[in-house]
Structures are given as C-alpha cells and as structure tokens.
Amino acid sequence: MSEPAESDGAARRGRGRRPAGEDTRATLLEAAREVFGEVGYANATVRAIAARAGVDAAMVNHWFGGKQALFSATIQMPPEALATFERELGQDPAVVPDRMVRAFLTVWDEHNAAFRALMRGATSQEEAAARLRDMLSALIFRRIAAICADDRPQLRAALCATQMVGLGLMRYVIRLEPIHTASVDALTALISPTMRRYITGPLD
Amino acid sequence: MSEPAESDGAARRGRGRRPAGEDTRATLLEAAREVFGEVGYANATVRAIAARAGVDAAMVNHWFGGKQALFSATIQMPPEALATFERELGQDPAVVPDRMVRAFLTVWDEHNAAFRALMRGATSQEEAAARLRDMLSALIFRRIAAICADDRPQLRAALCATQMVGLGLMRYVIRLEPIHTASVDALTALISPTMRRYITGPLD
C-alpha cells in the first residue's frame, strides 16, 4: 500500500526547475488550481493567483489570456497525463477492458491535484461538466465501440465511466479507505472484471 | 426513459406549503444550496442566502446558528431521503445486493439537488468529504458486514461506494447520456450484478 503523491506541485517542485516560460505557465496553473479550490471561481482573482505563483499579474494574461481561460486550463487533462493514458492503454483494442483501470490509476496517481480540480470544477460549473463529458467520450467511447459485444457502445462506455470516475472520486477526493491507499495492482484486479462485463459481457 | 426531477425545490413547491417554521427552514436550505453552488462557500453571505429565500437574515441564525452550520445542513442527507433509503433496502440483509442500486436511485432521483450539493461540497471542503465518508459507512458498511463473503466488509463496502457514487455523479451532476435519462429499472438491471460481485462474489 502506498500513499498517492499529495499534489502535482509537490512532485514537480521536487524534480527541479524547467525552462523559464514553461515553468511560469505550470506554476500559474498550480496556483490557479489551489486558489479556485479554496475560494471558488467567482471569488478568485487574477491578482491573487499571480501572487500565489510569485509572478506578476500580467503573466496570467500573457500565458492564458484571462481568468476564464486560466480556469479552462485547470480543468483540462494535462497533456502529459493524456500521453500516459494512451501509452498504458496501448494500440490493441482487445486489451482495453484489462488495461483500463491500470491506465486510469497510473495517470491520476501522478496527477491527482488535476483530478481534484477537474472534479471540483465539474460539480460547480457546467463548462467543466461538459468538458468532462467530452473527455470521457474522446478517451473511451471510440475504443469501446471497436470491441463491444453489441450495438450499444455509448451505454457501455457510460457504464465504464460511472465505475472509473467513482473510483477516482473515492481515491483522490473523498479518500475512502481502503480505496485511498490500496495499490494500483490490487485495485486493477478488483475492478477490471467490472470493466470486462461492461464492455464485452452480456448486459441483460 | 424519464428525466429526473430537476430539483428538490421544484418538487417541494409543487406539493403546497408546510407549517411556517419548517417551511422557512426548508426554504433557507434550498436557497443556501443554490447560493453556495453559485459562488462557493467563501463568497456566500448569510445576507444573500436570506434574500434568496425571501426571509430576514436573522432567520439564518435562528434556524441554523450561522453560515457554517447552514453549510453543514446543506451537505447532509435529508431526513426524508434517509427514510426512503432504509425503506427501499428493507430489513433482510440478503437482498441488499439486489436492492442497493434501486434504493440509491429512488432516493436521489427525488433529492437530486441535495446530491449535487453534497458532491460540490465534498470536492471543495474537507468537512463535506468527511461527512460523505461517515454517511457511506453508516448506510452500507453495517449491512454489508452482515452478508459479505469473507472478512473484508470494509473493502467490499468501499468498492460498492465507488460504483454507486460514480453512478450518481454521472446521472445527476455530469449528466452523461444514457445514464442521465435511463430508467431506474434499466440501471438497476445493468449495475446490480456489479454490486452482487463486490458484496458476495469472489474478489481475487
């Protein structure tokens, strides 16, 4: 049993600094996730986010164009997370049911602050909920359509989404034991049979 | 396929008025769920919530004692929802795996504004996350311990929680189709086999 890393920021700061521009952008994103989480979208100011990041407020406009665009960026799946997910899932659709849980946990154990920001946004802003719907469709619908057992890929993908997002919510947000600290191997073994039935099994 | 009722408030107002005191308290709770949802806890004021409810701000202190206690009340499971859940689940632990999904959907289809408030709170305030953990333990841990197939009732209850809360998140908050508008009967048939395996099936 290992505790997931507490935040992207802590892990990132531990790895040393990146090139200045990218670093400023990433630092602003981390600060924005914290401030939006603490005071909500309406009450968060560009000035407060810039202060938290230790940069001039003009940097927010330079890198993101404004508060709404910065918020949008905080609720997107980080590009490196998307790459990890695609790599873990592989190219063969037939292995998707067995690999989906491990790919999901591998990504979000690494980026759990981003997952919390996404959930916080999705429960309070329709824009974030719509983005999560789009993300789920883009990431899993296509793959499931290629292998599912009947002509209901959207239903099957949506059932997978209920299980996967619920798993993430309990592991990273609600921190319900033993889900919060269980190993990726253990959770993969426990939950993959559910994914297999939702994707390729009989449903009725 | 039927659309879940859009909010507790709409259903409640349709049923006519209750005794004055209880009515003021319920109206304040509805207004508080709306205002906390719109602007977040930090930015919500007692004055704004009272104005939304159409009552004097002194009523918040009278009925709840202040903003924090009012917030706590908005993220509790409504007493009538708890009664419905207990009734739907029944007294025989052996039927829990088959009835859990139906009981969950019956309760939250009726009280979906309360579910959204609970999720919004749980993703942004540790107090609300802790309350959700307690609620899940109180509602399902004891029942599952009575019937589960081995000495891991907490793991089994937590697995059930990942599936149930994920289902509620997709149905009431993210509104992912076809989960959002599917009938209770259809979702019960689709998801109950997952609950049966998590509670009484082999896990390894």
Side-chain angles (χ1 to χ4, degrees):
Chain A
M1 302 253 190
S2 69
E3 178 90 1
E6 198 52 38
S7 81
D8 296 351
R12 189 170 287 152
R13 282 188 288 269
R15 278 191 240 114
R17 299 187 70 76
R18 287 170 297 180
E22 191 195 338
D23 205 49
T24 299
R25 189 180 185 283
T27 305
L28 272 170
L29 263 181
E30 291 170 26
R33 285 196 185 108
E34 292 172 8
V35 174
F36 285 133
E38 288 163 12
V39 302
Y41 178 79
N43 209 33
T45 64
V46 164
R47 183 177 301 270
I49 292 166
R52 178 77 59 100
V55 304
D56 191 88
M59 286 294 107
V60 171
N61 288 322
H62 175 73
W63 283 103
F64 296 95
K67 175 173 153 183
Q68 179 61 44
L70 177 56
F71 177 76
S72 292
T74 66
I75 57 173
Q76 279 180 28
M77 194 167 176
E80 61 272 32
L82 189 59
T84 301
F85 189 77
E86 300 276 351
R87 188 185 68 240
E88 289 287 325
L89 223 44
Q91 291 304 313
D92 178 5
V95 302
V96 164
D98 287 322
R99 291 204 183 169
M100 183 91 77
V101 176
R102 183 180 302 279
F104 180 89
L105 293 171
T106 301
V107 167
W108 296 117
D109 273 17
E110 174 82 4
H111 298 278
N112 58 75
F115 187 86
R116 283 193 294 275
L118 181 62
M119 288 294 112
R120 199 183 298 122
T123 56
S124 59
Q125 284 225 346
E126 170 54 25
E127 185 211 330
R131 188 178 300 276
L132 182 55
R133 286 196 297 272
D134 293 345
M135 186 188 300
L136 290 167
S137 293
L139 288 176
I140 63 178
F141 179 85
R142 173 175 54 85
R143 285 187 163 89
I144 287 175
I147 54 168
C148 86
D150 55 21
D151 59 354
R152 295 182 290 178
Q154 182 145 0
L155 170 63
R156 290 174 180 275
L159 286 168
C160 290
T162 67
Q163 176 62 86
M164 306 269 279
V165 179
L167 171 61
L169 195 74
M170 289 301 151
R171 185 168 175 85
Y172 307 118
V173 183
I174 310 301
R175 305 179 188 205
L176 182 72
E177 294 296 355
I179 303 295
H180 176 48
T181 50
S183 72
V184 171
D185 283 349
L187 291 172
T188 298
L190 289 163
I191 293 173
S192 290
T194 301
M195 309 305 285
R196 282 196 289 272
R197 176 171 160 267
Y198 287 162
I199 297 173
T200 62
L203 287 180
D204 301 308
Chain B
M1 303 260 197
S2 68
E3 178 89 3
E6 200 49 41
S7 81
D8 297 352
R12 188 173 286 154
R13 282 188 287 270
R15 279 191 239 114
R17 298 185 72 74
R18 288 169 296 179
E22 193 196 336
D23 204 52
T24 298
R25 188 180 186 284
T27 305
L28 272 170
L29 264 180
E30 290 170 28
R33 285 196 184 108
E34 292 173 8
V35 174
F36 285 133
E38 289 163 12
V39 303
Y41 178 80
N43 209 33
T45 63
V46 164
R47 184 177 302 270
I49 291 166
R52 178 76 60 101
V55 303
D56 191 88
M59 286 295 105
V60 171
N61 288 322
H62 175 74
W63 283 103
F64 297 95
K67 175 173 153 181
Q68 179 60 45
L70 177 56
F71 177 76
S72 293
T74 67
I75 56 173
Q76 279 179 27
M77 196 169 175
E80 62 272 30
L82 188 59
T84 300
F85 189 77
E86 299 277 352
R87 188 185 67 239
E88 289 287 325
L89 224 44
Q91 291 305 311
D92 178 7
V95 302
V96 163
D98 287 322
R99 290 204 184 170
M100 184 89 79
V101 177
R102 183 180 300 280
F104 180 88
L105 293 172
T106 301
V107 166
W108 295 117
D109 273 16
E110 173 83 3
H111 298 279
N112 58 74
F115 187 86
R116 283 193 293 274
L118 181 63
M119 286 297 109
R120 199 183 296 123
T123 55
S124 58
Q125 285 224 344
E126 170 53 25
E127 186 212 327
R131 188 178 299 275
L132 182 56
R133 288 196 296 272
D134 294 345
M135 185 187 300
L136 290 167
S137 293
L139 287 177
I140 63 178
F141 180 85
R142 172 176 54 87
R143 285 187 163 89
I144 287 175
I147 54 168
C148 86
D150 56 20
D151 59 353
R152 295 182 290 177
Q154 182 145 359
L155 170 63
R156 290 174 180 273
L159 287 167
C160 290
T162 66
Q163 175 61 86
M164 304 269 279
V165 179
L167 171 61
L169 194 74
M170 289 301 151
R171 184 169 176 84
Y172 307 119
V173 183
I174 309 302
R175 305 180 188 205
L176 181 73
E177 294 296 357
I179 303 296
H180 176 48
T181 50
S183 71
V184 170
D185 283 350
L187 291 172
T188 299
L190 290 163
I191 294 173
S192 290
T194 301
M195 308 306 287
R196 281 195 289 273
R197 177 173 159 266
Y198 286 162
I199 298 173
T200 62
L203 287 180
D204 299 307

